[in-house]
Amino acid sequence: MPAEATSPVSDLLSAETPSLVLDEARMLRNIARLRDRLAHFNVVLRPHMKTAKSVEVARRQLTDGHGPATVSTLKEAEALFAAGVTDILYAVGLAPQRLGRVQALRAAGCDLAIILDTPAQARAVVAASAEGAIPVLLEIDSDGHRSGLRPDDPALVAIGQILVTGGANLRGVVTHAGESYSVLGHDALAAFAEQERAAAVAAAEALRAAGLPCPVVSVGSTPTAHFARDLTGVTEVRAGVYVFFDLVMAGLGVCDLDDIALSVLTTVIGHQPDRGWVIVDAGWMAMSRDRGTADQPVDQGYGVVCDVAGRALTDLIMLRANQEHGVIAMRPGSDATLPDLPIGTRLRILPNHACATGAQFDGYEVALAQGGPLAHWPRFRGW
Amino acid sequence: MPAEATSPVSDLLSAETPSLVLDEARMLRNIARLRDRLAHFNVVLRPHMKTAKSVEVARRQLTDGHGPATVSTLKEAEALFAAGVTDILYAVGLAPQRLGRVQALRAAGCDLAIILDTPAQARAVVAASAEGAIPVLLEIDSDGHRSGLRPDDPALVAIGQILVTGGANLRGVVTHAGESYSVLGHDALAAFAEQERAAAVAAAEALRAAGLPCPVVSVGSTPTAHFARDLTGVTEVRAGVYVFFDLVMAGLGVCDLDDIALSVLTTVIGHQPDRGWVIVDAGWMAMSRDRGTADQPVDQGYGVVCDVAGRALTDLIMLRANQEHGVIAMRPGSDATLPDLPIGTRLRILPNHACATGAQFDGYEVALAQGGPLAHWPRFRGW
């Protein structure tokens, strides 16, 4: 059967384990879903490249290949710029010593913007802007999650004035409702999206009221991007994990299990029948230590177990993980029967958190939407 | 001050962040400590390379540079063999499809031994041993941690017979008291070490009583290696994280904070004064998601915060971590005062788990024991 011999499932039966499997058809469906949703609002989608860290994935996310894109490290910016992406927002608060790399990218033709929320950072940007005005977005805190200024903080206008007076380019405001990962249900997520929108728009209005420019109003997280009902005043939306989805997103109700495009291929290497355990060769070095579902109503352990074709096996999860060992078992309380999984059986594990699991690997083994043998897409890493 | 200009601390003030800093003097002290301790017992130390994944570190752990060594992946075995290490135990239960790589290493001159605990794996080894007898250690379960056969399981002798009859090379037994990571105090750790020793020796005696060979009796974990009081019948001890130590080991009482040789260098990028937070540019992508101290009496969050010279700052920990953001704050309940840490301040974070944090980086920035500028030692990764 020559067709069978080059199918992804056939390839997965002979691939090295553990390896990171990407289902391109699911990914394309996820990309289209958010693109189509945001087409109903008058906003730009600026996908976050921190999830996939892949040129091949970026090409499928970015409409024209040049952007707009969001990154979490300058390494991502440098790798994507080398691949033709020219409109990039570096969405982590500036460490002043990075301004040299920022200016080097800008001098090479990348429209790289940065974010900050303190006068000290603004003064560093002003000093560096002598070589060319650096575009800056002011970071707004919409939910107490981590960084940013509250929209009514007088420091917001003061920092804006430092930038404008000093010759930097004040481009707008940016916020991320990271706490949206901890609320459940469509109405609660929609309320969070409104909180995010309102904070960003209020900050933009405060800047404008002080005579400062604020062309960009950037909001976003995967949950709020999928459940926002009103984006008035917003110019762009950012989202990252939407491209692959994961068990945390499924637990929040943002996606279903069969939307999750990423899984870890593993091999059965042992059994402890007295304990109902199957031992596999994917431990936390493959899955990551992320236990993002631990605080959700359904704790998925280190991941949901699927057969090699990607079909979830009832109530089977990775209960424990050591560095190179995973312990597969029935979910506590389940009355389903542990399936027979002989030594050498291939399984696929859906991850808690796609960003964290992806980072454990140097690349993807891709089941292409068009069919045919698995492709290999490299990932970049580091800072 | 030219001397100052090339000192490690001076280099750390200009290094990229986040980066992985290794204090070689502390590491050499940790290596000497376990070597000296085991010199009092008639056993070989077979260090586990899964912690450092570094040729330079291995050269400092391995007495003559050729071994003995333990690995958790064939990638580690291949990288170390290329660097001259020839006596290697691959201490994760065999996935049968890996036998080709095992035999390729052996054919090239590497004395690579494998472990297993099922008849199916033994039959696969027998089939592959037609090209050359593969040395096998049988995995023993001494504490219910994950894999292995109980010493009194009749399958132990049955599997040994499959191997010997089939022309493989039954080299011995191996066990790892992984549950020793969950007990506290020197007496409890010594009791665990005795449980580990007794299980391995009982398994060896069962094999010998059946007329099977068992020259090697291999035990070990970092906690038990440091607290074993009797190693009668044991021929070798394995340990991994002892080379760097970490907060989990400090929490168990195996080491002190100032024995920890690994830290993550980071830069302050923000403040939330109302919440008592300092934001740094090392998140879980740098620290890993490992929260190994969460269940210990003192929860260290994502790590203990030190100044750039490596001195721990009283009660300051990384409370939360996002992908590229860490939130530094006083330990809950502390009455110490949050120090002034302006934007751009460099800090070093001691990790919960050295194996997990190390894996987030491509290499070490090394403060050499001899002084002088930082050295860069690469790490290997993957499977």
Side-chain angles (χ1 to χ4, degrees):
Chain A
M1 294 187 291
E4 185 72 11
T6 58
S7 78
V9 167
S10 164
D11 283 2
L12 293 176
L13 292 171
S14 59
E16 290 286 338
T17 58
S19 58
L20 184 65
V21 177
L22 174 57
D23 182 325
E24 190 197 17
R26 290 186 180 190
M27 178 185 81
L28 294 177
R29 203 168 68 201
N30 298 339
I31 291 171
R33 175 179 163 195
L34 188 58
R35 183 180 294 158
D36 293 350
R37 177 168 209 281
L38 293 178
H40 298 291
F41 300 93
N42 187 26
V43 296
V44 169
L45 173 61
R46 183 182 286 279
H48 208 315
M49 305 286 115
K50 78 186 180 85
T51 301
K53 298 199 184 215
S54 156
V55 168
E56 290 294 335
V57 174
R59 289 196 173 126
R60 286 155 179 82
Q61 291 179 277
L62 305 181
T63 312
D64 72 352
H66 303 303
T70 312
V71 299
S72 69
T73 64
L74 288 180
K75 183 73 164 285
E76 291 162 46
E78 290 158 353
L80 290 166
F81 178 65
V85 181
T86 52
D87 175 4
I88 303 180
L89 173 65
Y90 170 42
V92 173
L94 178 76
Q97 81 271 11
R98 294 213 176 97
L99 280 164
R101 285 168 73 190
V102 168
Q103 285 291 44
L105 274 165
R106 291 190 54 77
C110 182
D111 180 14
L112 179 68
I114 61 173
I115 78 171
L116 56 79
D117 64 357
T118 66
Q121 291 163 306
R123 286 189 291 268
V125 170
V126 163
S129 287
E131 299 170 37
I134 299 172
V136 177
L137 282 77
L138 298 182
E139 186 171 10
I140 307 304
D141 175 14
S142 53
D143 64 352
H145 180 61
R146 58 179 184 224
S147 306
L149 296 160
R150 298 295 305 173
D152 59 356
D153 190 326
L156 182 66
V157 168
I159 296 168
Q161 284 165 336
I162 292 172
L163 291 166
V164 170
T165 309
N169 171 2
L170 178 56
R171 186 172 279 180
V173 293
V174 59
T175 194
H176 165 64
E179 294 296 310
S180 66
Y181 282 53
S182 59
V183 296
L184 295 174
H186 296 191
D187 287 343
L189 290 167
F192 236 88
E194 175 53 22
Q195 178 180 330
E196 187 181 51
R197 184 200 71 81
V201 169
E205 285 169 358
L207 289 172
R208 292 174 190 139
L212 294 166
C214 188
V216 175
V217 179
S218 179
V219 304
S221 72
T222 287
T224 56
H226 286 80
F227 291 96
R229 292 170 185 167
D230 174 21
L231 289 171
T232 306
V234 167
T235 66
E236 68 175 34
V237 171
R238 306 179 324 282
V241 79
Y242 82 98
V243 66
F244 295 153
F245 283 130
D246 55 25
L247 294 172
V248 167
M249 289 297 125
L252 293 182
V254 181
C255 69
D256 293 326
L257 277 193
D258 62 10
D259 294 322
I260 299 175
L262 208 63
S263 60
V264 171
L265 182 71
T266 187
T267 301
V268 173
I269 59 169
H271 300 93
Q272 292 290 17
D274 295 350
R275 280 169 257 164
W277 289 358
V278 177
I279 315 291
V280 296
D281 70 353
W284 59 252
M285 188 63 80
M287 300 308 303
S288 88
R289 270 291 195 196
D290 199 293
R291 288 277 292 103
T293 58
D295 297 324
Q296 291 190 333
V298 179
D299 182 347
Q300 304 285 22
Y302 283 90
V304 165
V305 180
C306 302
D307 67 14
V308 72
R311 289 176 293 254
L313 299 172
T314 305
D315 281 347
L316 207 61
I317 63 171
M318 185 179 286
L319 194 66
R320 298 168 58 157
N322 298 147
Q323 186 160 339
E324 298 292 349
H325 297 80
V327 174
I328 301 289
M330 303 312 294
R331 182 189 308 286
S334 169
D335 54 7
T337 306
L338 183 71
D340 183 35
L341 300 168
I343 295 285
T345 301
R346 298 296 173 101
L347 298 168
R348 284 164 67 180
I349 318 294
L350 302 177
N352 280 308
H353 187 175
C355 307
T357 301
Q360 303 299 107
F361 291 85
D362 285 331
Y364 304 92
E365 312 314 316
V366 187
L368 295 168
Q370 68 194 39
L374 290 177
H376 180 80
W377 293 354
R379 284 178 56 97
F380 36 84
R381 73 191 298 248
W383 294 268
Chain B
M1 293 187 293
E4 184 71 10
T6 58
S7 77
V9 167
S10 165
D11 284 3
L12 293 176
L13 291 172
S14 59
E16 290 286 339
T17 58
S19 58
L20 184 65
V21 177
L22 174 57
D23 181 326
E24 189 196 17
R26 290 185 180 191
M27 178 185 82
L28 293 176
R29 203 168 68 200
N30 297 339
I31 291 171
R33 176 180 163 195
L34 188 58
R35 183 180 291 155
D36 292 351
R37 178 168 210 280
L38 293 177
H40 297 292
F41 300 92
N42 186 26
V43 296
V44 168
L45 173 61
R46 182 181 287 278
H48 207 314
M49 305 287 117
K50 80 186 177 85
T51 302
K53 300 201 183 214
S54 155
V55 169
E56 290 294 336
V57 174
R59 288 195 173 125
R60 286 155 179 82
Q61 290 179 279
L62 304 180
T63 312
D64 72 352
H66 303 302
T70 311
V71 299
S72 69
T73 65
L74 288 181
K75 183 71 165 286
E76 293 163 44
E78 289 158 353
L80 291 166
F81 178 64
V85 181
T86 52
D87 175 3
I88 302 179
L89 173 64
Y90 170 42
V92 173
L94 178 75
Q97 82 271 12
R98 295 214 175 96
L99 281 164
R101 285 169 72 191
V102 168
Q103 284 292 44
L105 273 166
R106 292 191 52 77
C110 182
D111 181 14
L112 178 68
I114 62 174
I115 78 170
L116 56 80
D117 64 357
T118 66
Q121 291 163 305
R123 286 189 291 268
V125 170
V126 163
S129 288
E131 300 170 37
I134 298 172
V136 177
L137 282 78
L138 298 182
E139 186 171 9
I140 307 304
D141 174 14
S142 53
D143 64 354
H145 180 61
R146 60 179 183 222
S147 306
L149 297 159
R150 299 294 307 173
D152 59 356
D153 189 325
L156 182 67
V157 167
I159 295 169
Q161 284 165 337
I162 291 171
L163 291 166
V164 169
T165 309
N169 170 3
L170 178 57
R171 187 173 278 180
V173 293
V174 59
T175 193
H176 166 63
E179 294 296 311
S180 66
Y181 281 53
S182 59
V183 296
L184 295 174
H186 296 191
D187 287 345
L189 290 168
F192 236 91
E194 175 55 21
Q195 177 181 331
E196 186 181 53
R197 184 200 71 82
V201 169
E205 285 169 357
L207 290 172
R208 292 174 190 139
L212 293 165
C214 189
V216 174
V217 179
S218 179
V219 304
S221 72
T222 287
T224 56
H226 286 79
F227 291 96
R229 292 170 184 166
D230 174 20
L231 289 171
T232 306
V234 168
T235 67
E236 68 176 33
V237 171
R238 305 180 324 283
V241 79
Y242 82 99
V243 67
F244 296 153
F245 284 130
D246 55 25
L247 294 172
V248 167
M249 287 298 124
L252 292 181
V254 180
C255 69
D256 294 325
L257 277 193
D258 62 8
D259 294 322
I260 299 175
L262 208 64
S263 60
V264 172
L265 182 71
T266 187
T267 301
V268 173
I269 60 169
H271 300 93
Q272 293 289 16
D274 295 350
R275 281 168 257 166
W277 289 358
V278 178
I279 315 292
V280 296
D281 70 353
W284 59 251
M285 188 62 81
M287 299 308 304
S288 89
R289 270 291 195 195
D290 199 293
R291 289 279 291 107
T293 58
D295 297 325
Q296 291 190 332
V298 179
D299 182 345
Q300 305 285 21
Y302 283 90
V304 165
V305 180
C306 302
D307 67 14
V308 71
R311 289 176 294 252
L313 299 172
T314 304
D315 282 346
L316 207 59
I317 63 171
M318 185 179 285
L319 194 67
R320 299 168 59 159
N322 297 146
Q323 186 159 338
E324 298 293 349
H325 297 80
V327 174
I328 301 290
M330 303 312 294
R331 182 190 306 289
S334 168
D335 54 8
T337 306
L338 183 70
D340 182 36
L341 300 169
I343 296 286
T345 301
R346 299 297 173 100
L347 298 169
R348 285 163 67 182
I349 317 293
L350 302 178
N352 279 308
H353 188 175
C355 307
T357 301
Q360 302 299 105
F361 292 85
D362 285 331
Y364 304 93
E365 313 313 315
V366 187
L368 295 168
Q370 67 194 35
L374 290 177
H376 180 81
W377 293 353
R379 285 178 55 97
F380 36 84
R381 72 192 299 247
W383 294 269

